[in-house]
Amino acid sequence: MNGCTKPTCLPFKQWVSRVIATIQREGSYALDVSEVSRPVPPTELMDAIVRLEMRTERFHTEVLASLHRSEQAWSQILDALGCRSGAEPEPDKRELRLRTEDLFAQWKDRLSITEDVWAVAVYIIPTLAEAGRVGHSLETLASKTGLTRQRVHACLRFLQKHRCIRQQGVTDGGQPVYVAELPPA
Protein backbone atom coordinates (compact mmCIF):
# COMPACT_ATOMS: atom_id res chain seq x y z
CA MET A 1 0.00 0.00 0.00
CA ASN A 2 2.75 2.45 0.86
CA GLY A 3 4.65 1.47 -2.28
CA CYS A 4 2.32 3.44 -4.56
CA THR A 5 3.65 6.95 -5.35
CA LYS A 6 0.86 8.24 -7.58
CA PRO A 7 -0.85 11.38 -6.29
CA THR A 8 -4.30 9.83 -6.83
CA CYS A 9 -3.51 7.19 -4.17
CA LEU A 10 -2.95 9.75 -1.41
CA PRO A 11 -6.66 10.02 -0.30
CA PHE A 12 -6.89 6.22 -0.09
CA LYS A 13 -3.66 5.99 1.96
CA GLN A 14 -4.95 8.63 4.38
CA TRP A 15 -8.28 6.79 4.76
CA VAL A 16 -6.53 3.47 5.42
CA SER A 17 -4.34 5.16 8.05
CA ARG A 18 -7.48 6.52 9.81
CA VAL A 19 -9.14 3.07 9.69
CA ILE A 20 -6.07 1.36 11.17
CA ALA A 21 -5.76 4.00 13.91
CA THR A 22 -9.48 3.65 14.75
CA ILE A 23 -9.23 -0.15 14.91
CA GLN A 24 -6.20 0.07 17.20
CA ARG A 25 -7.93 2.64 19.43
CA GLU A 26 -11.52 1.25 19.51
CA GLY A 27 -11.16 -2.35 18.39
CA SER A 28 -13.45 -1.99 15.36
CA TYR A 29 -14.38 0.30 12.51
CA ALA A 30 -17.76 0.99 10.96
CA LEU A 31 -18.71 3.16 8.03
CA ASP A 32 -21.23 5.90 8.56
CA VAL A 33 -24.40 5.21 6.60
CA SER A 34 -25.25 8.10 4.36
CA GLU A 35 -28.69 8.89 3.03
CA VAL A 36 -27.37 8.44 -0.49
CA SER A 37 -26.28 4.84 0.19
CA ARG A 38 -29.76 3.78 1.40
CA PRO A 39 -31.57 2.41 -1.59
CA VAL A 40 -35.06 3.67 -2.18
CA PRO A 41 -37.10 1.24 -4.22
CA PRO A 42 -38.63 2.73 -7.33
CA THR A 43 -42.39 3.18 -7.38
CA GLU A 44 -42.73 0.58 -10.13
CA LEU A 45 -41.13 -2.00 -7.86
CA MET A 46 -43.39 -1.05 -4.94
CA ASP A 47 -46.47 -1.30 -7.19
CA ALA A 48 -45.32 -4.73 -8.42
CA ILE A 49 -44.87 -5.95 -4.82
CA VAL A 50 -48.37 -4.74 -3.90
CA ARG A 51 -49.87 -6.49 -6.95
CA LEU A 52 -48.00 -9.67 -6.08
CA GLU A 53 -49.27 -9.61 -2.50
CA MET A 54 -52.85 -9.09 -3.73
CA ARG A 55 -52.48 -11.95 -6.20
CA THR A 56 -51.06 -14.21 -3.48
CA GLU A 57 -53.93 -13.35 -1.16
CA ARG A 58 -56.49 -14.18 -3.90
CA PHE A 59 -54.68 -17.45 -4.57
CA HIS A 60 -54.77 -18.42 -0.88
CA THR A 61 -58.48 -17.59 -0.73
CA GLU A 62 -59.15 -19.75 -3.81
CA VAL A 63 -57.11 -22.65 -2.40
CA LEU A 64 -58.94 -22.51 0.93
CA ALA A 65 -62.31 -22.44 -0.87
CA SER A 66 -61.25 -25.40 -3.00
CA LEU A 67 -60.13 -27.35 0.08
CA HIS A 68 -63.45 -26.59 1.77
CA ARG A 69 -65.38 -27.86 -1.28
CA SER A 70 -63.19 -30.96 -1.36
CA GLU A 71 -63.79 -31.59 2.34
CA GLN A 72 -67.55 -31.31 1.82
CA ALA A 73 -67.41 -33.74 -1.12
CA TRP A 74 -65.40 -36.28 0.93
CA SER A 75 -67.84 -35.86 3.78
CA GLN A 76 -70.76 -36.64 1.44
CA ILE A 77 -68.89 -39.69 0.09
CA LEU A 78 -68.21 -40.97 3.62
CA ASP A 79 -71.85 -40.43 4.56
CA ALA A 80 -73.01 -42.31 1.46
CA LEU A 81 -70.65 -45.21 2.19
CA GLY A 82 -71.37 -45.19 5.93
CA CYS A 83 -67.63 -44.96 6.74
CA ARG A 84 -67.61 -42.15 9.28
CA SER A 85 -64.96 -42.69 11.97
CA GLY A 86 -66.58 -43.03 15.36
CA ALA A 87 -69.92 -43.95 13.78
CA GLU A 88 -71.54 -47.00 15.27
CA PRO A 89 -71.55 -50.03 12.98
CA GLU A 90 -74.90 -51.29 11.80
CA PRO A 91 -76.21 -54.03 14.05
CA ASP A 92 -76.13 -57.53 12.62
CA LYS A 93 -79.51 -58.52 11.21
CA ARG A 94 -79.26 -62.07 12.58
CA GLU A 95 -81.01 -62.78 15.84
CA LEU A 96 -77.95 -64.32 17.50
CA ARG A 97 -77.10 -62.48 20.70
CA LEU A 98 -73.41 -62.49 21.42
CA ARG A 99 -72.35 -63.67 24.81
CA THR A 100 -68.87 -64.49 25.98
CA GLU A 101 -69.67 -68.16 26.48
CA ASP A 102 -71.30 -68.40 23.03
CA LEU A 103 -68.25 -66.95 21.33
CA PHE A 104 -65.89 -69.25 23.22
CA ALA A 105 -68.07 -72.24 22.29
CA GLN A 106 -68.31 -71.23 18.62
CA TRP A 107 -64.59 -70.70 18.28
CA LYS A 108 -63.74 -73.90 20.16
CA ASP A 109 -66.04 -75.94 17.91
CA ARG A 110 -64.63 -74.50 14.70
CA LEU A 111 -60.94 -74.30 15.50
CA SER A 112 -57.98 -76.18 16.82
CA ILE A 113 -56.48 -73.26 18.73
CA THR A 114 -53.03 -72.95 20.26
CA GLU A 115 -52.39 -71.46 23.69
CA ASP A 116 -51.21 -68.20 22.11
CA VAL A 117 -54.43 -67.78 20.15
CA TRP A 118 -56.46 -68.64 23.25
CA ALA A 119 -54.56 -66.02 25.24
CA VAL A 120 -55.56 -63.37 22.72
CA ALA A 121 -59.11 -64.75 22.45
CA VAL A 122 -59.61 -64.76 26.23
CA TYR A 123 -58.68 -61.10 26.32
CA ILE A 124 -60.79 -59.88 23.35
CA ILE A 125 -63.93 -62.07 23.58
CA PRO A 126 -65.46 -60.33 26.64
CA THR A 127 -65.10 -56.95 24.93
CA LEU A 128 -66.48 -58.34 21.67
CA ALA A 129 -69.47 -59.81 23.50
CA GLU A 130 -70.15 -56.69 25.54
CA ALA A 131 -69.40 -53.88 23.08
CA GLY A 132 -69.67 -55.78 19.80
CA ARG A 133 -66.24 -54.55 18.75
CA VAL A 134 -62.69 -54.30 20.00
CA GLY A 135 -60.04 -51.76 19.04
CA HIS A 136 -57.00 -52.53 21.21
CA SER A 137 -53.51 -51.85 19.92
CA LEU A 138 -51.08 -54.70 19.36
CA GLU A 139 -48.95 -53.31 22.18
CA THR A 140 -51.89 -53.42 24.61
CA LEU A 141 -52.75 -56.99 23.64
CA ALA A 142 -49.09 -57.99 23.90
CA SER A 143 -48.76 -56.53 27.39
CA LYS A 144 -52.01 -58.17 28.58
CA THR A 145 -51.26 -61.60 27.12
CA GLY A 146 -47.51 -61.74 27.67
CA LEU A 147 -46.93 -62.46 23.97
CA THR A 148 -44.77 -60.53 21.56
CA ARG A 149 -46.36 -57.91 19.30
CA GLN A 150 -45.62 -60.07 16.24
CA ARG A 151 -47.20 -63.14 17.85
CA VAL A 152 -50.34 -61.17 18.77
CA HIS A 153 -50.54 -59.96 15.17
CA ALA A 154 -50.22 -63.55 13.92
CA CYS A 155 -52.98 -64.68 16.33
CA LEU A 156 -55.33 -61.94 15.11
CA ARG A 157 -54.61 -62.91 11.49
CA PHE A 158 -55.36 -66.54 12.39
CA LEU A 159 -58.71 -65.53 13.91
CA GLN A 160 -59.51 -63.46 10.82
CA LYS A 161 -58.52 -66.27 8.46
CA HIS A 162 -60.82 -68.68 10.27
CA ARG A 163 -63.66 -66.15 10.23
CA CYS A 164 -63.89 -65.61 13.97
CA ILE A 165 -63.33 -61.87 13.68
CA ARG A 166 -63.18 -59.35 10.86
CA GLN A 167 -61.76 -55.88 10.66
CA GLN A 168 -64.29 -53.08 10.44
CA GLY A 169 -62.57 -49.73 10.21
CA VAL A 170 -60.01 -48.14 12.49
CA THR A 171 -60.06 -46.11 15.70
CA ASP A 172 -59.20 -42.42 15.81
CA GLY A 173 -55.71 -43.50 16.90
CA GLY A 174 -55.30 -45.67 13.79
CA GLN A 175 -55.78 -49.03 15.56
CA PRO A 176 -57.85 -51.65 13.68
CA VAL A 177 -61.35 -52.29 14.99
CA TYR A 178 -62.46 -55.93 15.00
CA VAL A 179 -66.00 -57.26 15.23
CA ALA A 180 -67.15 -60.83 15.78
CA GLU A 181 -67.79 -62.75 12.57
CA LEU A 182 -71.02 -64.60 13.16
CA PRO A 183 -71.55 -68.03 11.64
CA PRO A 184 -73.76 -68.18 8.54
CA ALA A 185 -77.47 -68.07 9.28
Side-chain angles (χ1 to χ4, degrees), residues 2-155:
N2 286 330
C4 184
T5 58
K6 292 184 182 179
T8 56
C9 291
L10 184 61
F12 179 72
K13 286 181 180 182
Q14 291 171 347
W15 178 79
V16 168
S17 296
R18 283 195 311 270
V19 168
I20 291 173
T22 305
I23 290 173
Q24 289 173 345
R25 186 176 54 250
E26 298 175 12
S28 67
Y29 180 81
L31 291 174
D32 294 332
V33 179
S34 67
E35 292 298 321
V36 176
S37 67
R38 288 191 187 143
V40 176
T43 57
E44 298 88 25
L45 179 61
M46 294 302 291
D47 292 341
I49 290 172
V50 169
R51 285 193 309 270
L52 182 62
E53 286 177 350
M54 290 171 52
R55 196 176 293 163
T56 302
E57 187 175 326
R58 274 196 314 267
F59 174 74
H60 283 238
T61 303
E62 290 171 9
V63 167
L64 287 175
S66 175
L67 287 173
H68 183 68
R69 287 190 304 271
S70 175
E71 184 180 325
Q72 288 176 335
W74 279 110
S75 179
Q76 290 172 351
I77 290 169
L78 287 174
D79 287 341
L81 294 174
C83 298
R84 286 274 182 192
S85 64
E88 291 298 317
E90 282 190 31
D92 198 311
K93 302 295 186 233
R94 292 173 267 180
E95 294 285 325
L96 179 63
R97 291 291 302 165
L98 296 178
R99 292 191 332 220
T100 305
E101 297 82 19
D102 294 337
L103 282 175
F104 272 121
Q106 288 175 17
W107 290 10
K108 190 173 183 181
D109 289 343
R110 290 192 295 172
L111 305 171
S112 170
I113 298 181
T114 65
E115 288 183 28
D116 291 352
V117 176
W118 269 120
V120 172
V122 165
Y123 187 73
I124 66 171
I125 284 180
T127 307
L128 279 174
E130 184 179 314
R133 55 193 285 182
V134 63
H136 300 299
S137 69
L138 293 177
E139 290 79 14
T140 302
L141 291 173
S143 68
K144 296 293 183 179
T145 60
L147 302 173
T148 65
R149 186 178 180 277
Q150 291 80 14
R151 188 64 192 135
V152 169
H153 184 65
C155 294

